[in-house]
Amino acid sequence: MKKLLSTVCTAALLTLSCGGALSQNYPTKPVKIIVPFGPGGFTDVVARILGVKLSESLGQPVVIENKPGAGSMIGSDQVAKSAPDGHTLLIVSSTHVISPWIYKTLPYDPIKAFTPVTKLVDSPYVLLTNPKVPVKNVQEFIALAKSKPNDIHYASSGNGSAQHLIGGLFASMTKTQLKHVPYRSSSAAATDLVAGVVESSFAGVPNALAQVPNGRLNALAVTSAKRIPQLPNVPTMQEAGVPGYDATIWLAMLAPAGTPASIVNRLNSDIAKIMSSPETQKAMYEAGVEVSLSTPAALSQLMVSELDKWGKVAKEAGITLE
């Protein structure tokens, strides 16, 4: 027994020692942040704002790599299978805990395959329509959709994305039949919306800010419970006549499961300083998101609770994919 205890203690000390060494030397090479969505969406925008400052803080290049597809599963799977040394990180949205309820199988466990680092931001979506669509508000949009079942399309960044589910929730709560059109990225969806290929989209605030002020798109409502300062004249969905509708999306940073706590805490501390600076706060505001940080433990709790929440939404909206 004494020999066994000695072996266990030695192993524990070695683990702590290795973890400490990793933290002291980290990072030893460029850090890659995987964004499991296409370029141009608000996840990508936030990643690039953060990446510049994080590179300065870590003393190593931070490379942003877009790996879109399959409702964020392609990029997430890559990180889940990466070495847990802090050199490959992942920025996820609420889609991360939506996918398990949309797809029949996932190549990873959305909770167990990752180590939470920190929550980053919150952001609502905006119901946008092409100006050629003959509606001026949400109630007129609902009436039009009911008069033309499955003829009104809404674009999203892909099957199983937050945009997809938010649109499905809207259709479910308003008893309308909207036709979902998945794209490989939210920017591609916005491009076709501006061109009139599709009539509507539940888009991120950055896409709305790029197109609404110049009149290329109309903003009917934001999906959050409160109006947002970037679009103060746009009502909430509840104000627009859809009681109980509230769908705010969050972004967070994850690392592969098994990443040493020393590295996680270093990243959490550095990111907190970066995101709390006036310069970064201004950049995030202009990107249409609100900085919202957390401890790794709090992010873990959030992911578990959100997994349950979006599972209920997916079931009620009747959204499933192969």
Side-chain angles (χ1 to χ4, degrees), residues 24-205:
Q24 290 174 7
N25 296 326
Y26 173 79
T28 59
K29 58 184 179 180
V31 174
K32 182 185 295 183
I33 298 179
I34 301 297
V35 176
F37 302 100
F42 85 93
T43 308
D44 181 62
V45 171
V46 169
R48 293 182 186 280
I49 293 172
L50 175 61
V52 172
K53 295 296 184 183
L54 191 58
S55 176
E56 296 173 4
S57 177
L58 294 178
Q60 285 281 357
V62 172
V63 180
I64 308 300
E65 185 174 325
N66 297 92
K67 287 282 184 178
S72 82
M73 286 195 295
I74 293 175
S76 298
D77 188 43
Q78 177 181 331
V79 177
K81 293 177 171 59
S82 296
D85 58 7
H87 290 95
T88 303
L89 306 169
L90 177 68
I91 292 187
V92 297
S93 73
S94 304
T95 299
H96 187 73
V97 292
I98 291 173
S99 294
W101 304 107
I102 302 295
Y103 293 92
K104 289 187 177 180
T105 58
L106 259 69
Y108 53 83
D109 186 301
I111 305 297
K112 296 179 181 179
F114 301 91
T115 298
V117 176
T118 181
K119 187 184 176 190
L120 297 169
V121 300
D122 287 318
S123 180
Y125 276 42
V126 186
L127 173 54
L128 302 176
T129 57
N130 184 280
K132 293 181 180 179
V133 179
V135 300
K136 295 181 180 179
N137 54 56
V138 171
Q139 289 305 310
E140 290 181 0
F141 181 74
I142 293 171
L144 179 64
K146 287 184 175 180
S147 70
K148 297 181 177 181
N150 287 316
D151 280 353
I152 304 299
H153 305 79
Y154 75 96
S156 84
S157 57
N159 285 320
S161 65
Q163 285 181 278
H164 180 191
L165 205 69
I166 283 175
L169 176 62
F170 176 84
S172 174
M173 293 184 68
T174 58
K175 295 180 171 54
T176 53
Q177 297 178 41
L178 301 174
K179 189 74 172 180
H180 174 235
V181 183
Y183 288 79
R184 285 189 61 82
S185 69
S186 58
S187 58
T191 297
D192 269 13
L193 178 59
V194 171
V197 177
V198 289
E199 292 86 358
S200 66
S201 180
F202 292 80
V205 175

Side-chain angles (χ1 to χ4, degrees), residues 126-129 205-220 231 234:
V126 186
L127 173 54
L128 302 176
T129 57
V205 175
N207 283 325
L209 295 177
Q211 306 296 349
V212 171
N214 56 30
R216 290 184 183 143
L217 294 175
N218 293 329
L220 302 188
L231 296 168
V234 178

Side-chain angles (χ1 to χ4, degrees), residues 42 122-124 205-206 209 228 230 283-290:
F42 85 93
D122 287 318
S123 180
V205 175
L209 295 177
I228 61 173
Q230 296 89 342
M284 292 296 175
Y285 173 86
E286 291 173 348
V289 298
E290 181 181 354

